[in-house]
Amino acid sequence: MQSAISKLEAERAEVDDILSSGVFGRTNNHARILAFICEKYFEGAIDEIKEYTIAVQALGRPESFDPQVDTIVRVTAHALRKRLEDYYRSTGAEHPVHICLPPGHYVPKFIHMSDLGSATAETKLDENRNSQSLDKLSSQGNGHLEERQENPDKPPQEPTPNIGPGLQPGKESALNFSPRTRRMMVAATFAISVLILSALFWNRWNRSSEHANSPRTQVLAAGSLASGKILRVMVGNSSTPYVDRGGSAWDGDHFCSGGDSFSVTGHTIQGTEDPQLFSGGRRGVLHCNYPVPPGTYEVHLLFAETAGLQEASRNVAFSINGGPPTNLDVVDDAGGDDIATAKVFTDVAPASDGMIHLDFTSPEAFVNAVEIFPGTPHRMLPVRIVVGHSPYHDSSGNVWMPDRYFFGGRLSSFGGDLSKFADGRLYEWHRFGHFHYVVPVATGGKYTLKLYFMEHWFGVQNGGIGGVGSRVFDVYCNGSTLLKGFDIFREAGSEPLVKSFQHIDPTPQGKIEIYFTPAVNYPSISAIEVIPE
């Protein structure tokens, strides 16, 4: 066993090594947070490892920092956690010490590979605890916990081996069997093995037959998607079609087999104007087959965890057209329970049978809704959001979706004449207050972000008081500052104003997170555009 001193030296050496490795590239905030939390850990001052102290002491935020409106620490810590995971899966895999940042915490954890045996036991115990929590899900919804752990942060106890009555750990069994008994045991073992192999063979054959036969059934039931049309489906819903706030129709579930349908009530789903899309779904091992014409498509999968689970409690494993599996933790991806999230996949083409196949393979998997858009090869479709309740078709023929992906804030409409401005309808409404947007995008590319502003309240032209300096705020995106001390009226008076930002990297989860932080009065936004580069 290593001494405590040698372990501490190894941990410090690993921190120095990773900080000098260049793994964080030019993203200094990741290195600053890691250096700060590790130094506090070594000093024994883990009580000082808090969101506020990280922001002020490590990232240079002012003492007036408010974590409720500025989420730079959470955003950067999440990205740091993913960077560390990627590093120790590749370059640092053979290092004697691994550093990790447990989800939901800022105190670092050092894993000594020499203690891998005990770490493995702990991991297995954690998996058992997670599976037990999933086993307690009720048959309603995608799962409601029947009981919660009283202290989820309590360290797990070392499991006691199941060694049978009268046996002691580490002792050999004193039981002796007769030759006849041994022969019977061998025969029984062989018979059980044959039964298991037969069951596995039957299950594989049955699944292959179902996969081959179900497309024909689905085509007869639902017909093929017309060329250029968008397919929207509420999975698990067999009732009448639903029309969302933007006027789009969502079909019932005619495309999936396997698993069980579920519905939930009494949940307020954040991040959407259409909570009905997340009021039901299908869970378990299931297969969906969507008939589409030849071409390139963009697939959106919609989720909201409504079971009250914590991070790392449910793994939603799925694949598209038999491709590489995706493992999704919905709570981690959305940022909590009862929050809508979406995963975006580009360059999806139908299989040889004219179907897009979605296969959910983990027993605890679920999905709420699916959207399939005619896509553009090698790039995501633009996302255009106009604040308000109705979609808008601009002068260039682009369609702007009504407000979505927002958290917080309020709506207000503009009473003046907008006809003199090109596409003035984009500025008819604005969202103001403490708010942010989380826009789902495809990973692997960069984006141009355009923010559309117009001063709706201050200034003589608006019939109100005030002017320059009456509304001042900051805008952050994925942990970086886009606008500091921004004043719409100072830059544009009462005219429309568009601010454009290029080369935006999405978060590792595939999100563009835009935070509007007040300095004087409330921030305001009228429209948002995300364009792939």
Side-chain angles (χ1 to χ4, degrees):
M1 294 293 290
Q2 288 179 281
S3 68
I5 294 178
S6 63
K7 281 192 172 184
L8 182 60
E9 291 174 347
E11 292 169 0
R12 283 188 176 275
E14 181 62 21
V15 173
D16 293 340
D17 187 62
I18 194 171
L19 288 175
S20 61
S21 68
V23 65
F24 300 127
R26 293 176 294 177
T27 310
N28 292 331
N29 282 350
H30 295 154
R32 287 173 183 156
I33 288 184
L34 182 63
F36 176 80
I37 63 177
C38 288
E39 191 57 38
K40 291 297 181 184
Y41 171 86
F42 293 137
E43 292 174 359
I46 60 174
D47 290 342
E48 298 180 27
I49 305 178
K50 300 182 183 297
E51 186 172 359
Y52 177 83
T53 54
I54 294 172
V56 175
Q57 297 182 33
L59 301 181
R61 285 292 196 261
E63 293 184 359
S64 59
F65 172 78
D66 184 353
Q68 297 299 318
V69 296
D70 186 349
T71 61
I72 185 172
V73 176
R74 278 169 282 176
V75 171
T76 310
H78 179 84
L80 171 62
R81 183 178 298 116
K82 300 300 182 184
R83 289 284 185 93
L84 290 172
E85 292 173 359
D86 292 342
Y87 178 72
Y88 288 113
R89 277 196 294 261
S90 54
T91 307
E94 302 300 323
H95 287 202
V97 178
H98 290 192
I99 308 171
C100 70
L101 199 59
H105 300 276
Y106 299 120
V107 178
K109 182 177 180 181
F110 292 84
I111 300 173
H112 292 259
M113 304 313 289
S114 59
D115 299 335
L116 189 60
S118 59
T120 303
E122 183 178 348
T123 301
K124 291 182 178 179
L125 181 58
D126 286 341
E127 291 175 354
N128 290 338
R129 294 170 67 196
N130 289 338
S131 65
Q132 289 168 8
S133 68
L134 286 169
D135 289 341
K136 294 176 182 177
L137 299 180
S138 73
S139 58
Q140 260 192 334
N142 67 359
H144 297 280
L145 286 180
E146 293 182 357
E147 64 180 36
R148 294 178 180 269
Q149 296 179 3
E150 293 182 1
N151 186 4
D153 293 326
K154 181 179 179 181
Q157 301 296 317
E158 186 71 18
T160 302
N162 183 8
I163 53 178
L167 298 180
Q168 299 298 322
K171 301 281 187 179
E172 292 186 0
S173 171
L175 294 178
N176 293 315
F177 299 100
S178 66
R180 175 184 175 87
T181 303
R182 291 196 187 100
R183 287 195 298 270
M184 292 177 64
M185 291 175 66
V186 170
T189 302
F190 178 78
I192 292 172
S193 301
V194 171
L195 288 174
I196 291 174
L197 290 173
S198 300
L200 289 173
F201 176 81
W202 180 88
N203 183 64
R204 185 170 182 178
W205 176 86
N206 185 59
R207 181 172 172 180
S208 300
S209 299
E210 177 183 292
H211 206 75
N213 294 330
S214 58
R216 181 178 300 173
T217 303
Q218 300 302 341
V219 172
L220 293 175
S224 183
L225 178 65
S227 179
K229 298 295 184 180
I230 300 172
L231 179 63
R232 295 183 172 93
V233 179
M234 295 177 66
V235 179
N237 176 35
S238 58
S239 60
T240 57
Y242 168 71
V243 178
D244 65 23
R245 294 289 293 271
S248 300
W250 293 73
D251 201 358
D253 188 1
H254 310 296
F255 306 94
C256 298
S257 61
D260 301 300
S261 60
F262 66 86
S263 62
V264 295
T265 57
H267 288 255
T268 300
I269 307 298
Q270 300 181 62
T272 179
E273 286 274 78
D274 292 285
Q276 293 88 340
L277 295 177
F278 303 90
S279 64
R282 191 179 285 269
R283 64 165 177 251
V285 177
L286 59 117
H287 315 284
C288 303
N289 306 301
Y290 298 99
V292 296
T296 300
Y297 292 87
E298 182 173 304
V299 176
H300 294 198
L301 304 182
L302 280 61
F303 305 89
E305 178 61 76
T306 55
L309 296 176
Q310 298 179 352
E311 291 176 321
S313 295
R314 185 200 298 270
N315 177 44
V316 178
F318 61 90
S319 64
I320 300 178
N321 288 340
T326 296
N327 293 287
L328 175 66
D329 182 340
V330 175
V331 177
D332 175 65
D333 193 87
D337 290 304
D338 294 336
I339 300 176
T341 189
K343 304 305 291 182
V344 179
F345 300 89
T346 57
D347 285 318
V348 178
S352 58
D353 59 359
M355 300 280 183
I356 292 178
H357 301 279
L358 299 180
D359 295 305
F360 293 81
T361 55
S362 55
E364 65 270 26
F366 77 95
V367 63
N368 296 110
V370 176
E371 289 182 287
I372 299 178
F373 301 84
T376 302
H378 315 310
R379 65 200 311 253
M380 180 182 164
L381 299 171
V383 179
R384 298 183 174 93
I385 302 168
V386 59
V387 173
H389 304 294
S390 304
Y392 172 63
H393 295 256
D394 66 21
S395 57
S396 299
N398 299 314
V399 178
W400 295 71
M401 303 179 296
D403 210 5
R404 58 194 61 198
Y405 308 136
F406 61 85
F407 297 82
R410 295 175 55 190
L411 294 182
S412 177
S413 61
F414 181 70
D417 181 17
L418 295 170
S419 61
K420 61 181 178 180
F421 303 121
D423 290 314
R425 280 280 310 281
L426 287 176
Y427 307 93
E428 183 177 2
W429 292 80
H430 76 135
R431 179 168 294 279
F432 69 97
H434 290 213
F435 62 92
H436 67 277
Y437 285 76
V438 180
V439 182
V441 296
T443 57
K446 294 181 181 292
Y447 295 85
T448 294
L449 173 65
K450 292 185 176 182
L451 304 177
Y452 292 71
F453 303 97
M454 183 172 175
E455 182 51 67
H456 282 241
W457 183 258
F458 296 108
V460 176
Q461 297 91 327
N462 294 324
I465 61 174
V468 173
S470 296
R471 188 196 305 275
V472 181
F473 57 95
D474 304 331
V475 180
Y476 302 95
C477 181
N478 292 354
S480 299
T481 303
L482 299 184
L483 296 171
K484 187 73 175 176
F486 177 59
D487 185 335
I488 303 172
F489 194 86
R490 182 189 299 276
E491 295 201 21
S494 297
E495 302 282 320
L497 174 64
V498 181
K499 300 293 259 185
S500 183
F501 308 92
Q502 297 180 327
H503 312 316
I504 301 291
D505 287 307
T507 67
Q509 298 162 308
K511 302 288 195 297
I512 303 291
E513 302 184 356
I514 315 161
Y515 285 82
F516 297 81
T517 304
V520 179
N521 283 310
Y522 292 118
S524 167
I525 188 70
S526 291
I528 296 174
E529 190 173 17
V530 178
I531 304 171
E533 297 178 353

